Amino acid sequence: MIKRELYMRRIRPFIDTDLIKVMTGIRRCGKSVMLELIKQELKESGINPQQFISINFEDLNFAHLQTAKALHDAITKKASEIGGKVYLFFDEIQEVRDWEKCVNSLRVSLDCDIYITGSNARLLSGELATYLGGRYVEFVIYPFSFAEFMELYRSVVPNESMQKCFQKYLLLGGMPYLSNIKYADEPSKQYLQDLFSSVQFKDVMKRNKIRDVDLLERIIAYVMANVGNTFSATSIARFLKSEQHTVAPETILNYIKYCCDAYLFYQVKREDLQGKQILSSNEKYYIADHGIREAVFGGNMKNINLILENMIYLEALRRGYHVTVGKAGDKEIDFVCDKRGEKLYIQVAYLLASDETISREFGAYDTIRDNFPKYVVSLDEFDMSRNGIKHCNIRDFLLMEEWN
């Protein structure tokens, strides 16, 4: 179990406070491990583990607690037996009907510290905002970064070079469980395919009562094929029509939104950097884990430029940036990253193999006049920085302690 310090740094200030700590993210991205790391910190601070009450709602042993009343009664009874302050850890809380009512009631009636995880972005919308508004903090957990992957991969293959680790990461992605199967190719592919099926069935189809499974699969395949490309619901509708499927763009948007709610895809808005406004059409989508794309759809090496973009986008999210795609006149900046008003611009390329490519990637910044850092990242080994624009090898960029 590696100590995911990037997240622990953010969570630590809220440990042992009365705010509810909510950890969300795609299924199997390591949310349960975060609960274990928090328990470890509490134990190290002198808290007796007998004060912990932990329930994983995917465990059938707790199926009888999947209503707000049943869970509330069981926790209240257990807390009275323990006496004093209790620490509640609820894993995959979305399986409990009306869970937010139960959690809010426990928060009010018990001396407790509450931690919950869930695999759906709508966990924190609707009624929950009513019950818990202002009383929770959310942390989105992502699959392993390249740095985390490399740390675990080297425990399986000691002294492996950074380049070899990166090649493996390109194909397998960052789902934590892969280390348990020693990153073996076929078992890893099987695991990622099964994980994808589970997300598609439990978190998208079942949760949203989707009946047209074939349509959902076609839309997901289209988005996977086009990660990092701008497209609209209308362009997907045209594509499906060419395959004899007539679908309204609104239906397509709903299906994609369900996938985003399940943290399978992330939508990135386009921003007009000159007009300072968010553009309403042709967003981009990236996938939560590029290893899932390789296992289900294939072609990561063929589409390496898009996969490198996907990696950089997820890394920016991990580091707490709000990310948009920048439009500056007729040019596009891959990523405009903003953290509390501090900006960073990133252009991603596979290789700067020709003068034309170099001119295009560095030239994207021609009309950007501010003094925020501007990067071009690629797999080239030589530093090609120029005109105040920094060039960096992607592997090194992903491993940098701070982007500045």
Side-chain angles (χ1 to χ4, degrees):
M1 186 164 72
I2 68 172
K3 211 169 169 103
R4 304 190 77 179
E5 189 55 29
L6 187 72
Y7 303 107
M8 288 307 300
R9 267 202 306 271
R10 292 177 197 151
I11 296 169
R12 207 169 273 125
F14 299 98
I15 290 179
D16 229 346
T17 68
D18 60 358
L19 289 172
I20 296 160
K21 278 65 70 177
V22 183
M23 277 149 277
T24 55
I26 190 171
R27 193 173 285 270
R28 305 284 169 262
C29 68
K31 300 184 296 292
S32 305
V33 169
M34 293 311 304
L35 293 184
E36 293 305 315
L37 289 170
I38 291 163
K39 288 179 194 175
Q40 200 171 299
E41 293 247 340
L42 286 166
K43 282 188 272 191
E44 286 168 5
S45 71
I47 304 297
N48 188 333
Q50 290 184 335
Q51 293 167 258
F52 300 164
I53 301 175
S54 303
I55 300 176
N56 183 338
F57 291 102
E58 289 198 315
D59 184 338
L60 280 176
N61 288 315
F62 300 109
H64 62 294
L65 299 179
Q66 290 187 356
T67 65
K69 182 77 168 68
L71 179 60
H72 182 272
D73 291 350
I75 296 299
T76 304
K77 182 172 182 291
K78 180 77 173 166
S80 68
E81 291 167 1
I82 292 171
K85 186 167 188 173
V86 289
Y87 295 80
L88 308 179
F89 300 91
F90 298 146
D91 211 350
E92 301 296 358
I93 192 76
Q94 77 274 356
E95 302 298 332
V96 178
R97 194 165 68 251
D98 296 329
W99 65 269
E100 60 277 5
K101 296 177 184 176
C102 169
V103 167
N104 190 49
S105 178
L106 293 171
R107 182 190 66 79
V108 171
S109 62
L110 292 181
D111 181 11
C112 63
D113 186 16
I114 304 175
Y115 303 84
I116 63 179
T117 79
S119 302
N120 196 283
R122 280 187 293 167
L123 213 59
L124 296 178
S125 63
E127 280 204 330
L128 177 54
T130 306
Y131 283 98
L132 300 181
R135 301 187 186 96
Y136 68 85
V137 283
E138 182 191 10
F139 307 94
V140 182
I141 310 299
Y142 302 97
F144 280 160
S145 65
F146 176 48
E148 290 173 319
F149 173 89
M150 192 159 67
E151 183 181 336
L152 265 189
Y153 188 66
R154 281 177 169 168
S155 71
V156 175
V157 187
N159 305 315
E160 187 68 285
S161 71
M162 190 200 299
Q163 286 89 337
K164 288 280 180 61
C165 288
F166 189 74
Q167 285 167 13
K168 204 73 172 174
Y169 186 58
L170 263 172
L171 294 173
L172 295 186
M175 294 311 282
Y177 188 80
L178 297 184
S179 64
N180 293 22
I181 46 181
K182 309 294 184 194
Y183 297 103
D185 290 340
E186 281 309 310
S188 295
K189 184 177 181 181
Q190 178 71 53
Y191 171 77
L192 292 170
Q193 287 171 342
D194 292 346
L195 167 61
F196 168 75
S197 298
S198 180
V199 171
Q200 182 177 265
F201 176 69
K202 290 186 180 176
D203 300 324
V204 181
M205 284 166 45
K206 193 175 164 191
R207 186 153 298 281
N208 299 288
K209 300 180 173 61
I210 291 174
R211 292 203 180 94
D212 195 340
V213 179
D214 179 61
L215 175 61
L216 175 67
E217 288 176 345
R218 286 171 186 272
I219 290 170
I220 288 176
Y222 186 96
V223 178
M224 273 196 186
N226 288 280
V227 291
N229 287 325
T230 51
F231 60 83
S232 63
T234 308
S235 63
I236 302 181
R238 278 199 301 269
F239 167 74
L240 292 171
K241 193 172 183 181
S242 74
E243 294 194 333
Q244 273 62 63
H245 285 76
T246 303
V247 191
E250 293 75 24
T251 303
I252 292 166
L253 282 174
N254 283 336
Y255 279 26
I256 295 176
K257 184 181 183 303
Y258 299 151
C259 293
C260 291
D261 285 342
Y263 294 99
L264 178 61
F265 298 129
Y266 288 86
Q267 183 194 68
V268 193
K269 297 281 191 185
R270 293 166 71 237
E271 177 185 7
D272 184 338
L273 298 175
Q274 290 161 337
K276 302 278 193 293
Q277 61 181 4
I278 296 295
L279 302 170
S280 59
S281 64
N282 288 1
E283 299 92 351
K284 287 188 178 185
Y285 290 87
Y286 291 97
I287 191 165
D289 181 71
H290 56 275
I292 292 176
R293 183 187 188 272
E294 175 65 23
V296 174
F297 184 77
N300 276 12
M301 297 309 291
K302 189 174 76 174
N303 307 126
I304 190 165
N305 202 56
L306 298 179
I307 300 308
L308 296 176
E309 269 187 41
N310 206 104
M311 282 183 191
I312 295 293
Y313 171 70
L314 263 293
E315 185 63 24
L317 294 188
R318 281 187 200 96
R319 291 172 184 243
Y321 287 99
H322 174 260
V323 185
T324 55
V325 174
K327 184 177 179 295
D330 60 349
K331 294 179 177 174
E332 191 169 274
I333 314 278
D334 288 332
F335 300 121
V336 182
C337 307
D338 190 302
K339 192 193 288 184
R340 296 182 292 277
E342 291 295 312
K343 281 190 178 179
L344 183 83
Y345 300 97
I346 308 171
Q347 278 292 100
V348 184
Y350 170 38
L351 291 170
L352 302 174
S354 67
D355 290 341
E356 183 190 348
T357 307
I358 292 168
S359 176
R360 183 183 69 239
E361 300 301 337
F362 284 87
Y365 295 122
D366 284 350
T367 59
I368 310 294
R369 301 295 181 206
D370 62 36
N371 292 318
F372 290 118
K374 298 167 184 68
Y375 278 96
V376 172
V377 296
S378 72
L379 280 176
D380 296 279
E381 301 293 342
F382 301 106
D383 186 345
M384 301 188 203
S385 301
R386 62 194 62 197
N387 306 327
I389 299 164
K390 304 174 189 176
H391 172 249
C392 192
N393 177 277
I394 280 182
R395 295 186 300 267
D396 297 334
F397 191 65
L398 290 168
L399 295 174
M400 280 168 67
E401 195 71 31
E402 293 287 339
W403 289 351
N404 48 41

